[in-house]
Each structure stands twice: as structure tokens, then as C-alpha cells.
Amino acid sequence: MNKTMLIVFVISILISDRNFAQFSGNKKDSVDITVIDSYVTPEIPHTFLLSFFTSEACKSKVVIDGKFTYPVSDVFTDNHNLKIDLTKLHFKEKEIPFYIIVEDSSGNSYRSDINTFDLPGDIKIDEGDSNFLLLCLFGTTVFALPDPVYVTGPNGNYFSLTKEIPLISFRSKNFVYPAGYFSAEYSYIFNAASKNFLRLGYKELFEVPVFQYISPGIDGFTDFRGFNGLSAEVSIGLFRLLNTFTLYTRYRYNFKPGDSGSQFSEISIGLYSSFFSVYF
């Protein structure tokens, strides 16, 4: 029981620290980013020209279409300029979003709002990605696949299938992953005394180097037969697939308060996507 409370306490501290940091960030001065020019030259080779000023000397980079990252200024300056040859880049739409990331001399990073630029008419977009219906059907099929889970506890080891659906997500500054989300999850544990579990919970996402994110979370669960309890978990996003899904691995510790023999652990691997989530 002490191990259980320690896990819950640590995750609660992580989430509260994140919320405090976000609150404090609202009061902290930021670097103003003023875009002067952002357009594509009509001449071939088509070149994206970007220039902007910052309110103080910063290093900078730009993220185009959520997947192409280019350094703009490797030294501290307030005048930033960039030229990118678009010949070998592939896009799905004619209107391309981009945002700017700057770093000040203290190591603090700031992101600009989302801006856009238009591609010239003679640039072809990827026809292979233009079939929206086919893409949705494929995405729905992959999204519906359950995640395999290894379950271990005092009563033995089992195999389980589970499916988590993010219901409500909260936007973050980088627009790649949400800051956190509420989810519902159904699990079926083969050959166990309690087979069916429904979970409702909240997960917080922190982007980290090397991996995509680390995500602590807390859930409440029930087997619909009186076995009700809590779960403490942590997930690691490993890498992105098709720019929509993220392969992740997760460890979860489950217990029923007041019942020292009820605990069991889960190790799983699956695909995360906020495909059907409602954003706020």
C-alpha cells in the first residue's frame, strides 16, 4: 500500500508542477516575434522567404507544416532571415502552416502563433494523400485496433487487450500533442477472475528529448462486479507513424483501496492518436 501511495503522490506532484508552470508562464514576459515577410517566390526553383524581428536577441528556427524544421539563426540576433528551396518538399495542401521557435540568452524557448503561406499554382501537392475518405478509413481502422497488454499480479500472469479513446484534449503551445486529455478505456483480461474493466482517467503530456513525450496519468476503474479501484500509470511516446499516430509503451499499477491483495500491474504497447478527441 505504501508503494501505491508513493506512485500516486509522485504523479500528483508532476501534474501540479506542470499546472503551476503554465500559470507562472502566463505572468512571465515573453519574446515578441514580428513576421515581416513570409512568401514563396514565383520563379523556379520556388523558394520560401521568411524574415522576422524579435524583441531581443535570440536564436531561432521554423517548423513548416508540422514536420519540416529548419534553423534560422544559430547566433543571438534580433533580425532573422531564411531562404528554403521547396523543390524536394512534399505538401498535402496549397496553404502551408508554420510557426517560429526562439530561444533567448537565458535558455527560455517561446513559440509564435501559427502563420501560413501559399504555394504557387504550379507546385503539385501529393496526390497519394489527397483522397481524404481513404485516409479517414485507414486512420479509423488503425485507431480501432486494441493494444496488447501483459498483466501480472498475485493471482498469476495474463494476456489482455485494451482500447483507450481520448475524449477531451487541451491544446498546447506546439500543436503537436495536447497538454493533457481525459480518456475512456475498456480492457478484457483473458482467463482472469475479473475480465472486463472500464477506466476513466486523465493524462498529462510532457515533450522530452529523444522520445516524443512522457505522460503520467491517474485512472479510476471498475469491473462492474464490485472490484473498483485506482490506477497510476506512465507512458512514453516512442516515435510517430504517418504523422498521425504515436507508438507508445505504458506501465500501469492498479489497486483497490483497502485491499492489500488486489494490486496488479500492466505493461502495454499501442498507438496514441487524438483523432476523435474534442479539443479545448
Side-chain angles (χ1 to χ4, degrees):
M1 191 64 182
N2 291 336
K3 178 182 178 182
T4 298
M5 298 308 297
L6 177 61
I7 293 175
V8 174
F9 176 75
V10 170
I11 290 178
S12 299
I13 290 297
L14 284 173
I15 292 177
S16 63
D17 283 350
R18 168 65 175 268
N19 291 334
F20 177 77
Q22 288 178 338
F23 177 79
S24 298
N26 290 335
K27 292 182 176 294
K28 184 178 180 180
D29 291 336
S30 62
V31 174
D32 293 329
I33 302 171
T34 305
V35 176
I36 307 302
D37 282 318
S38 59
Y39 66 95
V40 178
T41 60
E43 300 83 10
I44 296 176
H46 295 298
T47 303
F48 173 54
L49 302 180
L50 173 65
S51 63
F52 58 93
F53 290 109
T54 49
S55 57
E56 63 181 83
C58 294
K59 295 180 181 180
S60 61
K61 59 183 176 181
V62 63
V63 180
I64 300 175
D65 203 23
K67 54 186 177 181
F68 304 116
T69 302
Y70 293 91
V72 181
S73 301
D74 292 327
V75 297
F76 290 103
T77 180
D78 59 0
N79 187 7
H80 308 259
N81 296 277
L82 177 68
K83 294 182 180 181
I84 302 174
D85 185 353
L86 301 181
T87 304
K88 295 183 179 181
L89 302 185
H90 300 280
F91 301 102
K92 302 175 184 179
E93 304 290 341
K94 288 291 186 180
E95 186 177 50
I96 309 302
F98 72 92
Y99 59 88
I100 298 163
I101 301 176
V102 299
E103 179 184 337
D104 64 18
S105 58
S106 299
N108 300 312
S109 295
Y110 305 94
R111 289 182 173 89
S112 72
D113 293 332
I114 295 293
N115 294 274
T116 61
F117 62 86
D118 295 324
L119 297 177
D122 58 338
I123 290 185
K124 293 182 179 181
I125 62 175
D126 283 347
E127 295 297 333
D129 294 326
S130 61
N131 193 328
F132 181 74
L133 178 59
L134 182 61
L135 182 63
C136 286
L137 290 175
F138 176 75
T140 302
T141 301
V142 174
F143 182 80
L145 292 175
D147 303 333
V149 184
Y150 175 73
V151 182
T152 181
N155 299 321
N157 303 324
Y158 305 95
F159 175 73
S160 172
L161 291 175
T162 188
K163 187 61 204 175
E164 177 189 75
I165 300 179
L167 300 176
I168 299 174
S169 298
F170 301 96
R171 298 186 188 277
S172 64
K173 292 182 179 180
N174 61 12
F175 295 92
V176 177
Y177 293 103
Y181 64 92
F182 288 99
S183 67
E185 181 177 349
Y186 171 75
S187 301
Y188 182 85
I189 304 178
F190 294 87
N191 301 320
S194 295
K195 296 181 172 63
N196 300 284
F197 287 88
L198 175 68
R199 288 184 174 86
L200 297 175
Y202 177 77
K203 283 79 173 175
E204 190 90 350
L205 276 75
F206 302 87
E207 291 193 44
V208 294
V210 182
F211 300 109
Q212 294 293 311
Y213 62 78
I214 183 170
S215 175
I218 298 177
D219 307 276
F221 68 82
T222 180
D223 72 342
F224 307 100
R225 298 166 57 190
F227 184 19
N228 308 315
L230 298 173
S231 303
E233 65 178 58
V234 61
S235 302
I236 299 176
L238 302 177
F239 55 85
R240 291 175 67 83
L241 297 170
L242 303 176
N243 207 36
T244 303
F245 302 96
T246 299
L247 183 70
Y248 72 87
T249 183
R250 171 182 293 162
Y251 171 77
R252 178 159 53 202
Y253 183 78
N254 309 271
F255 65 96
K256 180 179 180 180
D259 188 347
S260 60
S262 65
Q263 71 276 7
F264 63 96
S265 298
E266 299 171 273
I267 300 174
S268 61
I269 190 167
L271 294 174
Y272 164 76
S273 175
S274 55
F275 198 72
F276 293 108
S277 188
V278 177
Y279 270 84
F280 289 94

